[in-house]
């Protein structure tokens, strides 16, 4: 009985202390606790509870909002702006757009234009509303008051989604986005969210400016830094974007695992499942089509191979090519003799037996056989839309970058051999090198939520 009484006394004392405390401080602590609950959810819940996270967050939000009704702080002179800001921020904790949050945050910045955090929250609100222009204005409006990581990284994000009048403008936006994200990271190198957005900025640069493997590596390095932050690594979009980068690095097993991790953290988000299933199907298609040599009939396949003629190797037919006034020797070798990585001073020559359909068409993928009927997949990046090859084309690939991946996943055994071509203009098709008009950058296909 005495223990119960003591507990009531402690509870009453705590309530009394809170009443004496500045209401703004009480509400600030409540909102901070709400965000801590969201961002640290998996420290106290298993991954199996992910399906309940949004419902649990709604309950916490309801409890937090009740405290605002208890604290009639808006009646106190000088506190209305912070009251509106805190309540708007509380409503902003969920992913969906809430009109009341926009209304409250708009009031806050009108009453106190230098309230930096309110500008950032209002920008987040407009972002959820898909009002990119207003979101950008909010983040830009906050920067004169202080160069802060939240405004900077959000500007990076907004610039990647902002409609551009030309490709040149799009490229300029991407470059600015990378710089904003770098500045955000420099202000706080331990913030995983800033690292995530820098990784996304590099990934967008890879697709928009040039598909350079070095840019992908920068993206992966940023994601690795983000994963060190306990908050960032609980976000599904980190793993979704990481999976996209891994996919284009052709690290297929790791990409599938990352898509699965993104789905586990947020089962309600369809993009990770869709991209996971697309990649899995694509890998199965590649393996099956290579094993079956494009399902060509033996007689047709034999006729195609008999038609192989070294004159269709074009500038490579004499066993060399010129690069920066230097003559580079090229030895024609069978596909089966390729080594892992770059095969310097080697060339392979064969016929296209099929091309492989993919939802986003990046990379363009086809299968080719050489005179030994050895079949390999070829992935071509930076290829302009509609500029692929067709069945029966003769293909020469100098100094091929070869990979051989064997792994198990979801009851499937994969054994995929492929040649990666970063610059399509090195290819010779039917005796002619592809020209620069056939080279282009791909577009990054991703949900705005994944940013």
């Amino acid at each position: 009985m005495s223990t119960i009484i003591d507990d009531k006394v402690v509870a009453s004392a705590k309530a009394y202390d809170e009443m004496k405390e500045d209401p703004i401080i009480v509400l600030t602590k409540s909102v901070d606790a709400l965000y801590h609950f969201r961002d640290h959810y998996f420290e106290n819940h298993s991954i199996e509870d992910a399906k309940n996270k949004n419902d649990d967050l709604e309950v916490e939000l309801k409890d937090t909002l009740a405290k605002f009704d208890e604290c009639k702080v808006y009646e106190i002179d000088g506190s209305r702006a912070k009251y509106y800001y805190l309540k708007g921020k509380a409503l902003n904790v969920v992913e969906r757009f809430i009109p009341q949050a926009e209304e409250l945050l708009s009031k806050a910045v009108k009453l106190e234009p230098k309230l930096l955090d309110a500008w950032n929250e209002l920008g987040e609100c407009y972002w959820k509303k898909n009002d990119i222009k207003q979101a950008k204005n909010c983040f830009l409006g906050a920067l004169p008051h202080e160069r802060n990581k939240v405004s900077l990284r959000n500007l990076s994000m907004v610039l990647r989604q902002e409609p551009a009048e030309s490709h040149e403008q799009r490229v300029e936006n991407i470059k600015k986005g990378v710089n904003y994200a770098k500045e955000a990271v420099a202000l706080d190198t331990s913030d995983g969210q800033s690292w995530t957005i820098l990784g996304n900025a590099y990934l967008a640069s890879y697709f928009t400016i040039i598909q350079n493997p070095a840019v992908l590596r920068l993206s992966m390095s940023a994601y690795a830094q983000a994963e060190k932050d306990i908050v960032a690594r609980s976000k599904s979009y980190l793993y979704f974007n990481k999976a996209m980068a891994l996919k284009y690095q052709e690290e297929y097993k790791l990409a599938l695992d990352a898509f699965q991790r993104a789905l586990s953290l947020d089962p309600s988000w369809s993009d990770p499942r869709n991209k996971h299933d697309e990649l899995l199907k694509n890998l199965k298609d590649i393996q099956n089509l290579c094993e079956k040599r494009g399902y060509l009939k033996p007689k047709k396949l034999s006729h195609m191979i008999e038609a192989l003629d070294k004159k269709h190797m074009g500038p490579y037919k004499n066993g060399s090519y010129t690069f920066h006034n230097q003559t580079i020797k090229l030895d024609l070798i069978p596909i089966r003799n390729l080594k892992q990585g770059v095969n310097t001073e080697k060339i392979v020559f064969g016929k296209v037996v099929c091309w492989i359909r993919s939802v986003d068409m990046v990379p363009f993928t086809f299968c080719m056989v050489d005179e030994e009927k050895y079949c390999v997949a070829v992935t071509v990046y930076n290829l302009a839309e509609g500029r692929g090859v067709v069945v029966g084309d003769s293909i020469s690939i100098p100094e091929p970058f070869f990979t051989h991946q064997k792994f198990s996943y979801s009851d499937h055994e994969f054994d995929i051999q492929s040649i990666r071509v970063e610059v399509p203009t090195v290819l010779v098709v039917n005796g002619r090198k592809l020209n620069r008009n056939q080279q282009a950058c791909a577009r990054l296909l991703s949900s705005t939520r994944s940013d």
Side-chain angles (χ1 to χ4, degrees), residues 196-216:
T196 298
I197 290 180
L198 178 58
N200 297 350
Y202 281 131
L203 190 60
S205 177
Y206 172 81
F207 280 92
T208 306
I209 301 174
I210 186 169
Q211 291 171 34
N212 185 334
V215 178
L216 268 188

Side-chain angles (χ1 to χ4, degrees), residues 136-164:
K136 179 181 177 181
N137 289 339
C138 288
F139 300 134
L140 283 173
L143 286 180
H145 303 300
E146 181 186 339
R147 301 293 288 187
N148 67 94
K149 63 183 181 182
V150 176
S151 298
L152 289 164
R153 70 192 184 202
N154 284 344
L155 272 173
S156 173
M157 180 177 66
V158 165
L159 284 169
R160 292 196 296 278
Q161 299 296 334
E162 185 180 42

Side-chain angles (χ1 to χ4, degrees), residues 239-375:
Y239 294 96
F240 178 83
N241 286 314
K242 179 182 176 182
M244 294 295 287
L246 286 165
K247 172 186 174 182
Y248 295 110
Q249 279 190 315
E250 300 188 11
E251 296 282 356
Y252 298 127
K253 173 64 165 58
L254 294 176
L256 289 166
D257 288 340
F259 279 132
Q260 191 60 54
R261 179 65 178 172
L263 182 61
S264 297
L265 288 168
D266 188 353
S268 67
W269 189 18
S270 61
D271 285 3
R273 183 185 300 280
N274 293 339
K275 290 297 182 184
H276 170 277
D277 293 348
E278 287 172 12
L279 177 55
L280 194 58
K281 180 183 183 302
N282 190 244
L283 294 175
K284 291 177 184 177
D285 289 344
I286 291 173
Q287 179 155 297
N288 289 336
L289 288 166
C290 279
E291 288 177 352
K292 303 297 183 180
R293 298 182 179 87
Y295 289 94
L296 291 181
K297 293 181 178 180
K299 187 174 181 179
K300 183 175 182 179
L301 179 63
S302 295
H303 285 161
M304 285 176 59
I305 291 173
E306 288 171 5
L308 277 172
D309 189 330
K310 286 188 178 180
K311 70 180 182 182
H312 292 147
M313 295 177 68
Y316 304 136
K317 65 185 178 182
N318 295 321
S320 64
Y321 72 101
T322 302
F323 182 73
H324 288 177
N325 297 322
Q326 289 187 328
T327 299
I328 310 298
K329 181 182 176 183
L330 290 175
D331 291 326
L332 177 61
I333 64 171
I335 292 173
R336 61 178 171 81
N337 288 351
L338 289 173
K339 306 297 182 183
Q340 191 85 358
V342 178
N343 288 259
T344 305
E345 297 187 354
K346 308 297 181 186
I347 188 170
V348 292
F349 178 51
K351 285 281 188 178
V352 176
V353 294
C354 67
W355 58 275
I356 299 165
R357 295 182 183 275
S358 175
V359 173
D360 56 17
M361 295 303 292
V362 180
F364 180 82
T365 306
F366 62 91
C367 297
M368 65 177 281
V369 296
D370 62 8
E371 62 180 4
E372 295 183 349
K373 297 184 180 180
Y374 200 100
C375 192

